[in-house]
């Protein structure tokens, strides 16, 4: 354990940035730890990494980690990240967003970043709620669930983040939960080392704003729920859809090696210049 | 290409929008992100044609205007001179990111080719209705630089000036052009490299561990380290301390906000560009900008021929407002005429500076047509 802690400490900004804002039981710290281990595993230096974050609880990660960090506007983190990656393709650009950030206000940017297949790793911390603004429903709040803005139950359908990214054209899509930290490490590491657009969805429980309004008596109940409802991808594929019930798949959804936008752009640009030089 | 050293002047028969492209490339712009909108699209199309042909030029068409300015700010933080171009409705969408660029002190240029409004308005008709939006469109207190151009040649020159100011002072610079100028085709001269000055942001010279990214300097403008250069900085839209970390400490918040204003205030004489024509003995002074300034110049000359002592104050910088130039006219006792293609967005500033000293009259045209020299001449004669 002490080794793990030491490793994480190397990557944090200790000066004035702590204690952090995450509530007791929040899954965000686990995801942050996993992100740090993945950067370490991928053998990246702190200078090579640019972490772009949106607004909300997950957005605060940008202040804590000692990379190049940009804390952007609500829902638009991917647009900044696209500009940074295209301006300097050498950088490993990671974009951290919450579910409200990435899917509600920023839904359009997410599908287009995936369609472009621009070389960014999007890490979406899905807690099914707007945490920092006080527990309003997001576009992943399950139907029937209660929140500050759905006091009588949520009526709308929800987005499946991983499925959405898959059909939009992302190179790599995976899902894990704060209960599956080892799986998450492997997924984020894979995402960081692949070309094109990668997306890792991490279920991260929010007991303060979501759990206590939705019959989870304790934080432990929420983690227990992630454990019992999750189903590994291969088992999910073998299971008859009628028998899947309220389970959800975890694992890798898509794995492709298509070149990223920045790579295709560089090739086009080189071609144009060669043509001009020979003319 | 722009990257090859050009020793001689080159002449071109170009649209105002095309001149913006030439100006941007001369100024060292290597990144453009945008979303198509009439009447600004030729700027984007020109960049799409030219940027990929150069060594490090990047062009990207984004999904909307919000994304466009987001990408531009990202590229700017990564060390590029970056630009976007749009028109009224797109500029409305960009406002939150204009505020972000002010807060993060990210240099960038936003060209707004104005069309009639509000809303979708008059897509290809001239108007000057975005003057106050350019100044006050985003929330919060912040200074900003707004420039304008009245001829195709000026489109080129003011684009270079816009990049220079944005790099020098680390502010977003907005260049307002009206549709008449953007879609007028005329002969322009592309200056040789020796004829214009190019400024680039000041990079930090100290070791990374000593660097405070938002520290006060004598110029008020801190040096800027591009992302990936070894200076690991934090950039945020939150009010921040000199290290760039969020703060709510009243002394730090106040100090930061004051510095944002001071860095512009301190350099007023450099930033405020105006041109005077026959104003020395003028009894009637026309204050105009954009294509209207061109009509006004002819009207003033014609008035002189008729024996009326008329003059023109042509504003090229709209904000910070060139108050000294207007004050000079009011002290001389000249009656002022402000023609503009809106309901009085700039005459409001003129009246504010005038404080009731002299007579101020306005011509406001909002029917989607231009203000002609004869219309201005008629009004001069009546004053």
């Amino acid at each position: 354990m002490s080794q793990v802690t030491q490793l994480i400490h190397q990557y944090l900004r200790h000066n004035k940035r702590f204690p952090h804002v995450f509530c007791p039981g929040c899954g965000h710290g686990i995801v942050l730890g996993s992100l740090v281990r993945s950067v370490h595993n991928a053998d990246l230096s702190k200078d090579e990494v640019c972490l772009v974050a949106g607004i909300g609880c997950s957005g605060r990660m940008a202040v804590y980690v000692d990379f190049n960090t940009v804390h952007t506007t609500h829902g638009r983190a991917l647009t900044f990240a696209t500009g940074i990656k295209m301006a300097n393709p050498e950088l490993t650009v990671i974009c951290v967003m919450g579910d409200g950030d990435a899917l509600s206000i920023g839904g359009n940017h997410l599908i287009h970043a995936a369609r472009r297949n621009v070389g960014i790793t999007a890490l979406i911390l899905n807690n099914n709620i707007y945490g920092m603004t006080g527990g309003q429903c997001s576009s992943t709040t399950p139907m029937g669930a209660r929140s500050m803005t759905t006091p009588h139950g949520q009526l709308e359908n929800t987005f499946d983040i991983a499925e959405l990214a898959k059909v939009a054209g992302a190179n790599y899509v995976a899902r894990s939960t704060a209960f599956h930290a080892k799986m998450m490490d492997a997924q984020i590491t894979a995402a960081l080392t692949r070309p094109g657009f990668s997306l890792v969805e991490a279920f991260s429980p929010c007991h303060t704003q979501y759990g206590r309004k939705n019959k989870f008596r304790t934080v432990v109940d929420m983690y227990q729920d992630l454990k019992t409802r999750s189903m590994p991808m291969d088992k999910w594929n073998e299971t008859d859809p009628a028998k899947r019930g309220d389970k959800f798949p975890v694992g890798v959804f898509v794995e492709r090696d298509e070149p990223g936008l920045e790579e295709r752009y560089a090739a086009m640009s080189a071609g144009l210049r060669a043509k001009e030089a020979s003319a | 290409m722009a990257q090859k050293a050009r020793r001689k002047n080159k002449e071109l028969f170009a649209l105002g929008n095309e001149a913006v492209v030439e100006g941007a490339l001369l100024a060292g712009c290597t990144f453009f992100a945008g979303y198509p909108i009439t009447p600004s699209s030729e700027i984007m199309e020109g960049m799409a044609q030219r940027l990929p042909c150069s060594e490090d030029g990047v062009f990207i068409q984004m999904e909307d205007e919000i994304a466009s300015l987001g990408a531009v700010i990202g590229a700017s933080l990564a060390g590029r001179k970056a630009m976007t171009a749009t028109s009224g409705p797109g500029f409305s969408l960009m406002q939150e990111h204009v505020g972000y660029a002010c807060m993060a002190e990210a240099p960038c240029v936003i060209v707004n080719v104005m069309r009639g409004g509000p809303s979708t308005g008059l897509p290809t008709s001239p108007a000057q209705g975005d003057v106050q939006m350019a100044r006050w469109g985003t929330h919060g207190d912040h200074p900003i630089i707004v420039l304008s151009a009245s001829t195709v040649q000026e489109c080129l020159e003011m684009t270079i000036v816009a990049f220079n100011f944005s790099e020098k002072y680390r502010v977003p610079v907005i260049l307002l052009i009206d549709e008449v100028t953007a879609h007028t085709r005329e002969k322009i001269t592309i200056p040789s490299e020796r004829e214009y000055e190019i400024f680039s942001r000041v990079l930090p010279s100290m070791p990374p561990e000593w660097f405070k990214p938002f520290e006060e300097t004598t110029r008020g403008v801190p040096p800027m380290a591009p992302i990936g250069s070894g200076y690991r900085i934090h950039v945020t839209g939150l009010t921040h301390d000199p290290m760039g970390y969020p703060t709510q400490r009243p002394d730090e918040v106040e100090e930061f906000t004051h510095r944002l204003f001071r860095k512009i205030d301190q350099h007023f004489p450099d930033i405020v560009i105006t041109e005077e024509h026959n104003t020395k003995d003028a009894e009637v002074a026309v204050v105009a900008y954009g294509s209207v300034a061109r009509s006004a110049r002819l009207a003033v000359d014609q008035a002189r021929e008729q024996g009326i002592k008329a003059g023109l104050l042509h504003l090229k910088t709209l904000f910070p407002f060139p108050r000294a130039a207007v004050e000079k006219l009011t002290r001389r006792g000249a009656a002022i005429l402000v023609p503009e293609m809106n309901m009085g967005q700039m005459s409001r500033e003129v009246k504010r500076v005038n404080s009731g000293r002299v007579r101020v009259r306005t011509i406001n045209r909002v029917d989607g047509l231009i203000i002609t020299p004869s219309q201005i001449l008629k009004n001069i004669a009546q004053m």
Side-chain angles (χ1 to χ4, degrees), chain A residues 13 16-17 47 62 66 68-71 73 76 79-80 83-84 86-87 91 109 112 116 265 269 273 276, chain B residues 1 52-53 55 57-59 61-63 66-67 70-71 74 80 97 100 232-237 241 245:
Chain A
R13 287 178 175 141
K16 272 172 68 175
R17 297 305 110 213
D47 287 327
D66 192 20
N68 301 283
T69 50
V70 187
H71 185 215
T73 48
R76 321 297 175 195
T79 72
F80 285 73
I84 292 167
M86 291 304 286
L91 290 167
H109 306 308
H112 285 284
R116 274 183 198 117
Y265 187 92
S269 179
R273 276 178 285 129
E276 201 174 83
Chain B
M1 293 319 301
C53 300
E55 181 71 40
V58 177
F59 170 87
Q61 177 168 335
M62 296 300 285
E63 55 273 19
I66 302 173
R80 300 298 193 107
H97 281 169
Y100 186 94
R232 286 192 304 278
I233 54 166
H234 179 65
V235 181
T236 177
D241 63 16
Y245 299 128

Side-chain angles (χ1 to χ4, degrees), chain B residues 269-314:
Chain B
D270 180 39
I271 297 169
V272 172
I273 308 172
T274 58
E275 215 175 87
E276 294 189 31
H277 179 62
N278 283 336
T279 50
K280 290 243 156 58
D281 61 341
E283 284 161 6
V284 180
V286 185
V287 177
Y289 54 95
S291 67
V292 182
R294 220 171 168 180
S295 294
R297 201 179 168 99
L298 184 60
V300 163
D301 288 345
Q302 287 170 347
R304 286 266 165 186
E305 281 165 23
Q306 292 178 15
I308 306 168
K309 283 186 177 170
L312 167 69
L313 172 64
H314 173 188

Side-chain angles (χ1 to χ4, degrees), chain A residues 147-211:
Chain A
S147 75
M148 292 305 281
T149 47
T150 55
H152 314 295
Q154 216 275 101
L155 296 178
E156 300 167 9
N157 280 315
T158 58
F159 270 133
D160 183 319
I161 301 178
E163 290 294 345
L164 183 69
K166 188 173 141 185
V167 294
N171 247 4
Y172 179 81
V173 180
R175 177 193 285 149
S176 54
T177 80
F179 186 80
H180 301 81
K182 281 239 162 97
M183 183 193 281
M184 201 189 297
D185 284 11
Q187 289 177 356
I188 301 176
T189 309
L192 288 174
T193 45
R194 267 175 184 281
F197 189 76
S198 304
L199 182 142
V200 177
E201 178 184 9
F203 282 163
S204 171
C206 173
H207 191 255
T208 305
Q209 301 291 7
Y210 183 82

Side-chain angles (χ1 to χ4, degrees), chain A residues 40-258:
Chain A
H40 185 79
N41 292 343
D43 207 16
L44 296 164
S45 80
K46 291 198 275 189
D47 287 327
E48 288 172 281
V49 176
C50 180
L51 187 117
V52 185
I55 298 292
C57 303
S58 61
R60 285 300 168 122
M61 276 189 190
V63 197
Y64 303 137
V65 288
D66 192 20
F67 304 130
N68 301 283
T69 50
V70 187
H71 185 215
T72 66
T73 48
H74 192 37
R76 321 297 175 195
L78 276 169
T79 72
F80 285 73
T82 303
I84 292 167
K85 182 68 184 180
M86 291 304 286
N88 185 356
E90 305 286 304
L91 290 167
T92 298
V93 181
I94 305 167
C95 198
V96 177
M97 295 164 284
D99 50 309
D101 208 13
L103 270 297
S104 300
I105 182 168
N108 195 31
H109 306 308
L110 179 70
I111 56 173
H112 285 284
R115 174 184 66 83
R116 274 183 198 117
N117 203 22
V118 58
I120 295 168
T121 296
L123 179 58
I124 302 180
L125 289 82
N126 185 359
N127 58 12
N128 306 113
I129 201 85
Y130 281 89
M132 198 169 264
T133 47
Q136 299 83 5
C137 89
S138 81
S139 41
T140 61
T141 303
M143 211 187 264
R146 303 198 183 253
S147 75
M148 292 305 281
T149 47
T150 55
H152 314 295
Q154 216 275 101
L155 296 178
E156 300 167 9
N157 280 315
T158 58
F159 270 133
D160 183 319
I161 301 178
E163 290 294 345
L164 183 69
K166 188 173 141 185
V167 294
N171 247 4
Y172 179 81
V173 180
R175 177 193 285 149
S176 54
T177 80
F179 186 80
H180 301 81
K182 281 239 162 97
M183 183 193 281
M184 201 189 297
D185 284 11
Q187 289 177 356
I188 301 176
T189 309
L192 288 174
T193 45
R194 267 175 184 281
F197 189 76
S198 304
L199 182 142
V200 177
E201 178 184 9
F203 282 163
S204 171
C206 173
H207 191 255
T208 305
Q209 301 291 7
Y210 183 82
R212 61 194 180 88
K213 288 193 198 79
N214 289 287
K215 294 183 181 150
F216 290 98
R217 286 186 58 245
T218 65
V219 168
V220 177
D221 290 351
M222 295 198 80
Y223 284 85
Q224 202 67 44
D225 180 64
L226 289 178
K227 183 188 169 191
T228 51
R229 287 205 298 129
S230 59
M231 196 185 254
M233 190 57 77
D234 42 355
K235 205 172 159 201
W236 171 265
N237 288 334
E238 287 162 14
T239 311
D240 177 4
K243 289 180 183 161
R244 285 171 185 168
D246 66 346
K247 301 236 190 273
F248 60 86
V250 289
V252 179
F253 286 66
V254 186
E255 232 173 339
R256 298 187 305 147
D257 278 320
E258 299 291 321

Side-chain angles (χ1 to χ4, degrees), chain B residues 192-260:
Chain B
S192 73
E193 273 195 340
R194 277 169 293 184
E195 285 176 283
Y196 54 88
E197 251 182 307
I198 296 296
F199 288 91
S200 296
R201 63 195 73 169
V202 175
L203 304 172
S205 50
M206 62 287 269
E209 55 275 22
W210 294 356
F211 182 51
K212 287 186 179 171
F214 296 93
E215 197 178 27
E216 173 70 295
T217 63
T218 48
R219 285 174 63 241
V221 189
M224 188 174 176
I227 288 172
S229 62
Y231 293 82
R232 286 192 304 278
I233 54 166
H234 179 65
V235 181
T236 177
L238 292 165
T239 306
H240 42 269
D241 63 16
M243 284 307 290
Y245 299 128
T247 180
Q248 295 203 13
R249 255 177 57 184
D251 58 331
E252 285 180 344
V253 174
E254 194 185 21
E255 174 56 36
F256 172 75
T257 313
H258 283 178
R259 182 174 62 74
L260 283 191

Side-chain angles (χ1 to χ4, degrees), chain B residues 11-269:
Chain B
E11 281 176 344
L12 213 65
F13 189 54
L15 288 179
N17 280 344
E18 291 165 358
V20 169
V21 173
E22 298 298 331
L25 294 173
L26 291 177
C29 172
T30 58
F31 189 98
F32 186 98
Y35 185 78
I37 184 168
T38 310
S40 74
S41 295
E42 291 88 359
I43 299 175
M44 184 176 182
E45 290 160 8
M47 287 305 213
Q49 181 70 37
R50 301 281 288 277
L51 280 173
C53 300
S54 64
E55 181 71 40
D56 51 2
V58 177
F59 170 87
I60 185 166
Q61 177 168 335
M62 296 300 285
E63 55 273 19
D64 58 29
E65 286 87 349
I66 302 173
S68 303
L69 192 50
V72 160
I73 297 171
S76 172
L77 296 174
R80 300 298 193 107
K81 288 190 182 180
M83 174 169 98
T84 186
T86 189
S87 180
F91 191 50
S92 293
L93 287 181
M94 284 179 186
Q95 290 301 335
E96 188 191 11
H97 281 169
V98 172
Y100 186 94
C102 289
M103 183 59 105
E105 298 180 69
C108 56
V109 173
I110 303 151
V111 183
N112 176 4
V113 182
M114 292 180 281
R115 63 194 223 175
S119 190
T120 326
L122 301 163
T124 47
S125 298
Q128 295 178 316
D130 303 349
V131 171
Q132 291 293 346
M133 176 170 64
R135 174 64 190 90
W136 296 110
T138 185
H139 58 281
D141 277 312
H142 64 88
I144 201 154
I145 298 176
V146 183
L147 307 174
S148 72
S150 68
T151 65
V152 176
Q153 184 72 41
E154 261 180 42
C155 283
L156 181 145
E157 289 160 7
M158 293 312 281
T159 305
I160 299 178
V161 172
F163 272 100
N164 283 347
F165 283 171
S166 99
E167 293 285 318
K168 250 192 207 173
Y169 303 117
R170 289 188 63 180
V171 281
V173 175
I174 294 152
L175 176 60
L176 291 181
I177 305 175
D178 46 75
E179 192 272 342
V180 192
T181 314
H183 283 162
T184 297
R185 195 177 279 283
E186 56 189 346
K187 192 172 89 172
I188 57 165
T189 307
I190 297 181
S192 73
E193 273 195 340
R194 277 169 293 184
E195 285 176 283
Y196 54 88
E197 251 182 307
I198 296 296
F199 288 91
S200 296
R201 63 195 73 169
V202 175
L203 304 172
S205 50
M206 62 287 269
E209 55 275 22
W210 294 356
F211 182 51
K212 287 186 179 171
F214 296 93
E215 197 178 27
E216 173 70 295
T217 63
T218 48
R219 285 174 63 241
V221 189
M224 188 174 176
I227 288 172
S229 62
Y231 293 82
R232 286 192 304 278
I233 54 166
H234 179 65
V235 181
T236 177
L238 292 165
T239 306
H240 42 269
D241 63 16
M243 284 307 290
Y245 299 128
T247 180
Q248 295 203 13
R249 255 177 57 184
D251 58 331
E252 285 180 344
V253 174
E254 194 185 21
E255 174 56 36
F256 172 75
T257 313
H258 283 178
R259 182 174 62 74
L260 283 191
F261 276 87
R262 196 162 54 238
K263 73 179 180 182
I264 300 299
D265 292 351
Q266 201 179 325
H267 299 95
F268 253 63

